[in-house]
Amino acid sequence: MSKKHNFSAGPCILPQEVFQKSAEAILDFNGSGLSLLEISHRSKDFVAVMDEARAIVKRLMKLGDDYEVLYLGGGASLQFAMVPFNLMKTGNGKAAYTDTGTWAAGAIKEGKKLGTVDVVGSSKEDNYSFIPKKYTVGSDYDYFHCTSNNTIYGTQMREFPKVNTLLVCDMSSDIFSRVIDFSQFDLIYAGAQKNMGPAGATLVVVKKEILGKTGRDIPSMLDYSLHIAKESMYNTPPVFPVYASLLTLQHLDKNGGIAAAEVQNEAKAKLLYDEIDRNALFETFCNGEDRSLMNATFKLLDDTRKEEFDNAWKAAGISGLNGHRSVGGYRASMYNALPIESVQVLVDVMKNLN
Ligand SMILES: Cc1ncc(COP(=O)(O)O)c(C=O)c1O
């Protein structure tokens, strides 16, 4: 069977080399005569995997020893709760959030369970079609939370605000896709299942000095400090996703790192957006300057052409192009591992529809 052009929003395409090496490790890990799936997470071989996975994240992000890297379970959704548990003061805790999409709203919902949440910027009333920018965040907040890329609606923050409190960011759907100064953040989290591996592992990067200040007795599994003290092995970590994530990041590193990925991602997004803008049959859902380089959301202006278009992209070997059920239309997710050739195939299908 020929390989599909996979535009899925996540879990999504990963480098072929990662699939290959992961498959080998499942059969025989490091020539040990054992599968990666049957060895102890405390074995020397797996501890080396965890150590290297944590180290490569720090290296790629150019962060120093004031930061710790954790690989946890529970998805990015668990971080919606872990962040307030670890950063919101007990008693009169208060945090600022931007509401830029479904996932941001999910984080807000959890924050509200532990303290006051002020939504300082929102695009909800406009169907999340842009990134709010005109807000200030004062030092009376315990932290400010934002979502760098809105996977469902297809908007992305180009810049991050200067705030007078801790800066926390959900980078699940654009981590490692572009060069940014990661040291401006106090805490970054991301579900692995887009640019950094399969589902099941969640990355947390946290500045050590911000922890332990809430006055709260945090449940063990939710306590970043405990996970740090146990080197991300407080409980059995998601062994396979961590290994596949390490392979994904090694692949990124070998192929020019984040800077090279960014060049590719900009070229892919330009190719597709130029066609959407040129082609009278299509329109994007989102405001120009905030369009995501990772998830392009668009629709057909003439619904009577839907069957014809759907048949054409499926016949071209494209998969995962349907929009999220809450938005409709189409969503082309162009994560790091998607080759530009796949975008060209989609653009050709759109051109031929004229
Ligand atoms: C930006 C963002 N945040 C959070 C999540 C939720 O991640 P998880 O399913 O790992 O909990 C997603 C999932 O796609 C996402 O795209």
Side-chain angles (χ1 to χ4, degrees), residues 123-187:
S123 48
K124 187 174 177 184
E125 296 306 311
D126 294 287
N127 209 21
Y128 292 126
S129 58
F130 68 95
I131 298 286
K133 297 176 191 84
K134 290 191 181 122
Y135 51 86
T136 52
V137 181
S139 56
D140 50 330
Y141 289 104
D142 295 335
Y143 63 91
F144 165 73
H145 179 285
C146 58
T147 310
S148 55
N149 184 70
N150 299 287
T151 327
I152 293 175
Y153 293 89
T155 58
Q156 187 173 25
M157 294 175 79
R158 295 270 163 269
E159 291 190 350
F160 297 91
K162 298 255 173 298
V163 291
N164 293 311
T165 183
L166 306 180
L167 181 55
V168 177
C169 188
D170 173 0
M171 288 194 193
S172 294
S173 53
D174 66 351
I175 195 156
F176 297 125
S177 68
R178 56 180 168 158
V179 176
I180 43 182
D181 174 10
F182 291 100
S183 73
Q184 68 190 296
F185 301 95
D186 295 283
L187 193 150

Side-chain angles (χ1 to χ4, degrees), residues 14-71:
L14 295 175
Q16 282 307 306
E17 182 190 76
V18 171
F19 292 139
Q20 187 65 39
K21 287 188 171 171
S22 300
E24 284 163 16
I26 285 183
L27 295 173
D28 182 5
F29 184 48
N30 286 352
S32 62
L34 294 165
S35 165
L36 170 65
L37 304 183
E38 64 181 330
I39 61 169
S40 165
H41 59 292
R42 309 245 174 239
S43 64
K44 194 165 65 49
D45 279 359
F46 185 75
V47 170
V49 168
M50 180 60 98
D51 289 349
E52 180 51 18
R54 294 172 72 207
I56 198 170
V57 168
K58 235 192 213 181
R59 218 164 49 238
L60 286 165
M61 289 186 162
K62 299 187 167 56
L63 292 173
D65 287 339
D66 44 342
Y67 285 85
E68 285 285 351
V69 175
L70 298 170
Y71 271 93

